[in-house]
Amino acid sequence: EKLFINPPELPNWENSFSQVVIVKATPFKYLSLGQVSVNQANELVGENDLNAQATQAFQNLQTALSSAGAKTSDVVKINIFVKDYNPTKATIVGDAFRKTFPHEKLPASTWLGVQGLALEGLLIEVDAIAVIAA
């Protein structure tokens, strides 16, 4: 069984994709989430500012998780896509990540540098898989 969630606190992308997908597979639910630096009104947050965008994207991830009854400690895998990545951006992204994931046990992680993202002006996208009890 699949449940598709589009929390009203996040941008409305229903014509393009779902904010959260929950797969119920007893005794667990698997959640798939992807977030960028766009506010509830579909406005880019932090133009040309990776720190502001990373902060917003990770806040959106927390909102999406919460809408499904999950928290960041339930995330088992995260992919982080950074436009025009170079090692100097690691500290900025890493700081936003650690504020969101202050746990001792962290999810598996992949960071990728990309040429571009779905919308003009985006500098980061986070994609996560979480698992919670059914």
Side-chain angles (χ1 to χ4, degrees):
E1 179 183 347
K2 296 180 187 92
L3 177 63
F4 299 84
I5 300 175
N6 291 290
E9 301 85 9
L10 293 174
N12 183 344
W13 302 108
E14 289 185 55
N15 291 330
S16 301
F17 57 85
S18 297
Q19 292 282 10
V20 181
V21 178
I22 301 173
V23 178
K24 294 181 183 179
T26 306
F28 301 106
K29 293 180 188 176
Y30 298 88
L31 290 66
S32 173
L33 317 107
Q35 294 299 317
V36 295
S37 180
V38 176
N39 66 18
Q40 183 179 6
N42 286 11
E43 300 164 330
L44 177 66
V45 174
E47 186 172 350
N48 298 316
D49 183 343
L50 180 58
N51 182 54
Q53 287 201 23
T55 299
Q56 182 68 44
F58 281 110
Q59 285 175 351
N60 285 353
L61 180 66
Q62 287 179 297
T63 299
L65 286 164
S66 179
S67 76
K71 48 194 180 297
T72 57
S73 59
D74 296 318
V75 173
V76 296
K77 174 72 171 117
I78 189 162
N79 297 312
I80 302 171
F81 303 91
V82 181
K83 184 178 178 188
D84 301 323
Y85 180 82
N86 65 57
T88 62
K89 296 180 179 181
T91 301
I92 295 168
V93 175
D95 287 347
F97 173 84
R98 292 303 289 161
K99 287 177 186 168
T100 306
F101 293 88
H103 328 295
E104 183 178 317
K105 296 181 179 180
L106 298 171
S109 175
T110 300
W111 291 25
L112 297 170
V114 295
Q115 183 177 356
L117 293 164
L119 300 174
E120 186 66 34
L122 288 176
L123 303 176
I124 187 169
E125 181 167 349
V126 293
D127 172 50
I129 297 171
V131 178
I132 60 176

